[in-house]
Amino acid sequence: MTLPHPAADQISLPNVLAVLGDPTRLAIVRYLASKEGVPLNCSQFLDLGSKTNLSYHLAKLREAGVTRTEVVGTSRLITLRRDDLNARFPGLLDSVIAAAVDDPALPAVGASEIEVRA
């Protein structure tokens, strides 16, 4: 089973900005950035709410082209589409993540401190 993702040239700025305007989705992106290059199981984000709510937010991120979701057996592994976003909108993702790192208004994900690798 494969999930639909927009091609890199179909990623639109209004969709990306709208998706990143939600605190829960921004917290997911911030956490994915802190674990750059490591696909994360969706269970990593259960601190953010119910499975139903989390599925909704992860789908919105995928549909906007911010994340890639790979189905592996019964697991779904999530990664940032950093290269695609940087090709379409240079510097946008880095700017958003940098602003989100120290934002106390965002919900916390995981038990440890988040460090973002630039």
Side-chain angles (χ1 to χ4, degrees), residues 4 11-12 14 18 28 34 40 63-64 77-78 81 96 98 100-102 105 110:
I11 298 172
S12 74
I28 290 169
S34 76
L40 298 177
E63 292 164 359
L77 301 177
I78 319 296
R81 291 181 64 179
V96 169
V101 167
D102 296 324

Side-chain angles (χ1 to χ4, degrees), residues 46-63:
L46 289 176
D47 295 347
L48 296 174
S50 69
K51 289 180 183 180
T52 303
N53 189 30
L54 184 58
S55 292
Y56 171 79
H57 288 300
L58 291 172
K60 289 295 184 185
L61 287 165
R62 177 181 46 79
E63 292 164 359

